[in-house]
Amino acid sequence: QVQLVESGGGVVQAGASMTLSCIFSGNMDGLRGMGYSHKTPGRQRESIAFVSTRGSITYKSTVKGRFTIARDVDKNMVTLQMDNLKQEDTGLYYCYALFPGRSPDYGQGTQVTVSA
């Protein structure tokens, strides 16, 4: 299992930027990629950005063009740069590690609140 420790988060105004970071450790044999998911009250956690171990990147349409995910292999870290934040970006953000055949490993989650 992979351990993921997140940092970043907090309260910002709409239009601001914020960076989330996630450091991971443990057995990463078979890792397919890393990503961030977003959860709001009453809704399921949903992947918004993903970078595969081969370097391909995908984004949810609502964040494409505003968020940038990057993986630093040497530092065992993945970051999510969030620009032009909107109130609907408010919620809990979880980094995750994806492996074949089982549920992802998640970090502890960090709260992002975007005010008007």
Side-chain angles (χ1 to χ4, degrees):
Q1 193 171 12
V2 175
Q3 292 75 48
L4 302 100
V5 179
E6 302 183 48
S7 60
V11 181
V12 294
Q13 287 189 319
S17 297
M18 179 185 289
T19 301
L20 304 180
S21 300
C22 179
I23 295 177
F24 46 96
S25 61
N27 184 359
M28 286 175 275
D29 290 346
L31 178 70
R32 290 289 176 86
M34 308 288 294
Y36 272 92
S37 60
H38 178 227
K39 188 181 187 313
T40 54
R43 301 190 67 174
Q44 288 189 336
R45 190 161 39 189
E46 178 176 37
S47 179
I48 56 168
F50 179 78
V51 53
S52 76
T53 52
R54 296 185 178 186
S56 63
I57 293 175
T58 55
Y59 296 101
K60 188 174 185 285
S61 59
T62 53
V63 307
K64 195 171 185 179
R66 299 188 297 120
F67 290 12
T68 304
I69 191 169
R71 183 184 176 198
D72 187 326
V73 177
D74 292 336
K75 296 180 180 179
N76 282 344
M77 184 168 68
V78 64
T79 59
L80 185 68
Q81 173 67 35
M82 304 185 291
D83 297 320
N84 190 22
L85 281 160
K86 303 177 180 181
Q87 286 186 273
E88 52 262 43
D89 296 322
T90 294
L92 281 165
Y93 286 76
Y94 297 87
C95 65
Y96 67 90
L98 183 66
F99 294 86
R102 66 176 179 85
S103 299
D105 294 323
Y106 287 97
Q108 79 277 14
T110 187
Q111 176 69 34
V112 173
T113 301
V114 184
S115 62

